Amino acid sequence: MKQYGSAADIKVGVVGYGPSFHIARHHLHEMKRAGMRPVAVADIDPSRLPVAKADFPEVETFPSATAMLAGSDVDLVAVCTPHNMHAPVAIECLNAGRHVVTEKPFAITTAECDAMIAAARAHDVVLSTYHNRHWDGWILNAVEKIRGGIIGDVVRIEAHSCGYRRPRDWWRSSKSISGGILYDWGAHYLEYALQLLDGAMVEVTGFMHWGHWASQVMYGDDTNEDEACAIVRFDSGQWLTLIMSNIDSTPRRGMLEVTGRRGTFVIKPDEWTATTQDAGGVVQRRGPVPHGQGWRFYQNIADHLVKGEPLVITPEYARRPIHIMDLARQSAVAGRTLPVTYG
Ligand SMILES: NC(=O)c1ccc[n+]([C@@H]2O[C@H](COP(=O)([O-])OP(=O)(O)OC[C@H]3O[C@@H](n4cnc5c(N)ncnc54)[C@H](O)[C@@H]3O)[C@@H](O)[C@H]2O)c1
């Protein structure tokens, strides 16, 4: 692998400089914060290139990833395109010998993850995905308290984002572009949950309902599912349920509910609650959550490339949430539980 004397020697770029959440701008700022040097931006929408140039006058802009790879000696590329382009663009960059970070989700299918991992190994380059939310304050806090024993050993986790809402007219509502209703926040929720569950995954069951919103959203037959559910069994005896719904009006508690042998821990963006059964009866504790430390993602990438420190978000780790969502879709179609390939 190429050696770097310092983070400033690592030339970085992004593919996709979208307007929705200014996420590529955020990537370049975070990469700079970790000491790396922005040099290139590519987007197939020509109107985005002057925006990138105004934000980062030091970068060269390109009309495609292919043009960027031919015209720039960028070392590390962040792929910030819609989900269906993560794997193709990443593989093109990896095959050109560049390190790659994809935005989440890592990819849509397990096969895409396998192909990306094979390309990274073949070219001896680094591959990761932007699980910046690995360091969200609420999950850092939950991991510390739950691993510290506040609810006893974890039995199961339910992760959910439910509401009765018409999907918006944007690519996130297209199943072929987004991957489906599970793939946006589901990638984050699964990654949160996997930090709290031990053991290997054994099998996945999926349920999906489609058709309620389809006629009302611009994507018609290609509209995401109205609701989807993935249930994962672990060899530790634990299980994990993910439910994402646009047809469920029932209020839920928080983003993740973690049930342990002595009680339940509810994770919300602004507050944690632990309800336990002690000798004297029910005890409820709650508190604020600390600030997130998402900057640690690119700090880790730079430290990995410069000092050889272990990569936190490895591609094999990044494949686990994708494997769950991919198997859930296949299981829903097949109407039966499916064994995992990767635990
Ligand atoms: N980690 C987070 O917290 C977080 C937050 C927001 C978005 N995201 C992720 O960021 C990614 C991008 O989302 P967004 O909201 O910025 O989308 P967006 O639609 O605003 O931007 C996507 C950009 O990619 C460009 N593009 C599409 N195909 C391309 C290609 N083949 N080559 C070059 N450019 C191409 C488009 O022209 C557009 O400018 C998604 O994976 C999304 O899930 C992550």
Side-chain angles (χ1 to χ4, degrees):
M1 191 176 299
K2 187 174 171 184
Q3 299 297 308
Y4 301 93
S6 74
D9 296 335
I10 306 169
K11 296 189 271 301
V12 296
V14 295
V15 175
Y17 202 83
S20 306
F21 297 94
H22 304 291
I23 199 71
R25 178 189 296 165
H26 165 80
H27 275 260
L28 291 177
H29 279 307
E30 291 292 296
M31 290 158 142
K32 273 179 96 164
R33 178 177 174 154
M36 299 183 278
R37 193 150 49 94
V39 296
V41 171
D43 198 303
I44 53 171
D45 176 351
S47 74
R48 297 305 300 161
L49 301 180
V51 180
K53 191 77 185 162
D55 291 343
F56 298 93
E58 68 270 37
V59 300
E60 265 190 278
T61 58
F62 299 91
S64 66
T66 308
M68 186 173 98
L69 294 169
S72 165
D73 58 356
V74 59
D75 297 296
L76 166 64
V77 179
V79 180
C80 300
T81 61
H83 303 170
N84 63 331
M85 292 311 295
H86 289 185
V89 173
I91 289 170
E92 187 180 359
C93 296
L94 294 164
N95 285 341
R98 317 305 169 93
H99 308 296
V100 170
V101 168
T102 72
E103 250 298 350
K104 51 52 58 174
F106 191 33
I108 293 178
T109 66
T110 310
E112 286 178 332
C113 298
D114 290 347
M116 292 156 76
I117 291 170
R121 285 185 187 150
H123 296 277
D124 193 23
V125 287
V126 172
L127 173 63
S128 184
T129 197
Y130 194 55
H131 275 309
N132 56 328
R133 293 186 173 283
H134 183 81
W135 293 274
D136 275 338
W138 49 85
I139 189 67
L140 292 175
N141 175 67
V143 169
E144 184 191 314
K145 290 197 167 49
I146 292 169
R147 293 280 182 202
I150 194 168
I151 53 166
D153 293 340
V154 173
V155 173
R156 67 175 166 87
I157 296 181
E158 184 181 319
H160 41 233
S161 173
C162 301
Y164 190 85
R165 52 208 170 196
R166 175 191 179 283
R168 286 170 61 180
D169 291 321
W170 60 348
W171 63 256
R172 283 172 169 74
S173 305
S174 154
K175 192 164 166 53
S176 60
I177 301 175
S178 73
I181 192 172
L182 291 179
Y183 277 79
D184 194 358
W185 271 92
H188 293 304
Y189 283 19
L190 290 173
E191 199 275 328
Y192 292 151
L194 290 171
Q195 295 188 50
L196 291 163
L197 292 162
D198 303 311
M201 305 188 293
V202 176
E203 59 187 21
V204 176
T205 311
F207 298 90
M208 295 186 172
H209 182 274
W210 179 88
H212 178 68
W213 292 116
S215 64
Q216 299 177 53
V217 178
M218 63 184 273
Y219 284 102
D221 283 353
D222 186 37
T223 297
N224 282 349
E225 307 84 4
D226 303 312
E227 173 169 299
C229 169
I231 305 171
V232 188
R233 184 192 301 278
F234 289 77
D235 66 0
S236 52
Q238 298 164 311
W239 68 100
L240 160 63
T241 307
L242 171 70
I243 303 174
M244 307 300 275
S245 180
N246 283 332
I247 52 169
D248 181 344
S249 312
T250 312
R252 301 293 167 107
R253 295 184 298 168
M255 300 180 288
L256 271 73
E257 294 175 29
V258 185
T259 299
R261 289 166 65 117
R262 290 201 302 110
T264 299
F265 191 98
V266 177
I267 301 175
K268 290 184 183 176
D270 55 349
E271 184 187 64
W272 61 272
T273 312
T275 308
T276 51
Q277 301 285 332
D278 290 347
V282 176
V283 177
Q284 192 165 74
R285 277 165 285 184
R286 62 179 71 225
V289 300
H291 290 300
Q293 301 172 21
W295 55 269
R296 287 171 61 184
F297 177 85
Y298 274 119
Q299 190 61 56
N300 175 248
I301 295 283
D303 288 344
H304 180 64
L305 286 169
V306 175
K307 303 177 196 162
E309 287 196 4
L311 191 63
V312 176
I313 309 296
T314 65
E316 292 78 13
Y317 178 73
R319 182 171 53 195
R320 294 183 87 202
I322 306 305
H323 198 35
I324 293 171
M325 295 187 286
D326 188 14
L327 284 173
R329 180 185 52 78
Q330 293 180 44
S331 161
V333 171
R336 61 188 169 83
T337 300
L338 297 176
V340 304
T341 305
Y342 302 106

